[in-house]
């Protein structure tokens, strides 16, 4: 059976994985033009949680309460395995306008707030009532205005086991590899969390990361101090260009 496009949905959402979105109005003629451009792919979208809520308390990426902190503010979602990549896709950003009839296997499960932002003004409730929505999507550069890359030391870290979570990464948003100190390799644990076993692990620590998508690298010198502590977040002085 062939699907017919529906154009009552006319917003574009840019979002982060665990995911975030910017909205802009897209007319039906613009959607037709987008479908003929490269990089737009078919998918489906649903929502979960409360209608205007965050949808998650951290999810499978481990971002915790960051989902309700600017610039995310509930503009987040979960994705199917093809984009999640066993956690390697955490932090990636996408644009996602509704209205295209999709039969693809790629799926976005958005917070109620993020899903509603794809609707035209005043119709977010009606859009959420439709359940699963056919959409198109494409990768977009992540942008965290005024933010530099930060490293959160996860709870339970010790002088012999150090676990880090990367926050506010512009550009690709994802992480393909991480090294600390004299560039000792860290291991991907789950979601956006990386760890190293050794010791004693005495700071200060420099951190070098490479993105998963394009292999871009960044080195934050002595970003984690000698008196580091679990559950603390240390902000660098640099970031990727979007």
């Amino acid at each position: 059976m062939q699907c017919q496009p529906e154009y009552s949905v006319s917003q574009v959402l840019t979002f982060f994985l665990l995911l975030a979105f910017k909205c802009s109005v897209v007319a039906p003629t613009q959607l037709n033009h987008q479908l003929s451009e490269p990089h737009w792919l078919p998918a489906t979208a649903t929502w979960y949680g409360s209608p205007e809520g965050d949808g998650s308390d951290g999810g499978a990426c481990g971002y915790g309460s960051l989902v309700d902190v600017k610039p995310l503010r509930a503009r987040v979602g979960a994705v199917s395995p093809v984009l999640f990549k066993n956690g390697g896709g955490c932090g990636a950003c996408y644009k996602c306008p509704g209205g295209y009839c999709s039969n693809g296997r790629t799926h976005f499960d958005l917070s109620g707030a993020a899903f509603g932002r794809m609707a035209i003004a005043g119709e977010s409730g009606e859009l959420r009532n439709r359940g699963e929505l056919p959409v198109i999507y494409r990768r977009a550069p992540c942008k965290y205005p005024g933010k530099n890359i930060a490293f959160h030391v996860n709870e339970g870290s010790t002088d012999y086991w150090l676990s880090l979570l990367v926050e506010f990464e512009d550009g690709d948003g994802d992480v393909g590899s991480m090294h600390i100190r004299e560039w000792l390799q860290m291991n991907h644990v789950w979601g956006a969390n990386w760890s190293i076993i050794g010791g004693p692990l005495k700071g200060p620590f420099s951190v070098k990361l490479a993105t998963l998508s394009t292999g871009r690298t960044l080195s934050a010198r002595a970003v984690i101090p000698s008196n580091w502590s679990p559950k603390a977040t240390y902000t660098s002085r640099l970031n990727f260009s979007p």
Side-chain angles (χ1 to χ4, degrees), residues 8 16 31 37 49 53 64 75 102 115 125 132 146 156 191 207 211 220:
S8 60
F16 308 97
L31 275 176
E37 292 180 346
R75 297 182 299 168
S102 161
F115 193 87
E132 185 174 277
V207 180
T211 68

Side-chain angles (χ1 to χ4, degrees), residues 54-224:
D54 301 338
S56 174
D57 290 326
C61 287
Y63 292 126
S65 59
L66 278 181
V67 299
D68 194 34
V69 175
K70 287 183 178 180
L72 278 72
R73 286 291 183 184
R75 297 182 299 168
V76 299
V79 293
S80 54
V82 67
L83 295 181
F84 184 63
K85 302 174 184 176
N86 291 321
C90 287
C93 302
Y94 296 87
K95 288 187 176 181
C96 188
Y100 177 57
C101 187
S102 161
N103 292 314
R105 295 183 179 180
T106 303
H107 184 74
F108 296 96
D109 196 17
L110 308 177
S111 70
F115 193 87
R117 287 189 177 100
M118 291 193 292
I120 59 177
E123 296 190 15
S124 58
E126 180 180 345
L127 180 64
R128 282 189 286 264
N129 288 338
R130 293 176 59 182
E132 185 174 277
L133 182 73
V135 297
I136 56 173
Y137 77 97
R138 71 178 180 186
R139 191 72 178 267
C142 298
K143 298 178 182 179
Y144 298 95
K147 298 282 189 180
N148 286 329
I149 286 182
F151 300 93
H152 178 77
V153 180
N154 290 318
E155 185 175 6
S157 292
T158 70
D159 289 346
Y160 294 87
W161 180 80
L162 176 66
S163 177
L164 301 178
L165 172 72
V166 180
E167 300 175 355
F168 304 120
E169 179 192 337
D170 280 344
D172 292 343
D174 53 22
V175 178
S177 67
M178 283 184 62
H179 296 74
I180 66 163
R181 209 163 59 182
E182 296 87 7
W183 306 145
L184 302 174
Q185 184 174 352
M186 302 190 76
N187 297 310
H188 181 225
V189 183
W190 64 277
N193 297 278
W194 296 73
S195 74
I196 186 170
I197 299 174
L201 298 169
K202 301 294 184 180
F205 298 126
S206 298
V207 180
K208 179 171 69 175
L209 65 86
T211 68
L212 179 67
S213 301
T214 64
R216 298 172 69 190
T217 60
L218 177 149
S219 298
R221 297 287 178 176
V223 63
I224 300 177

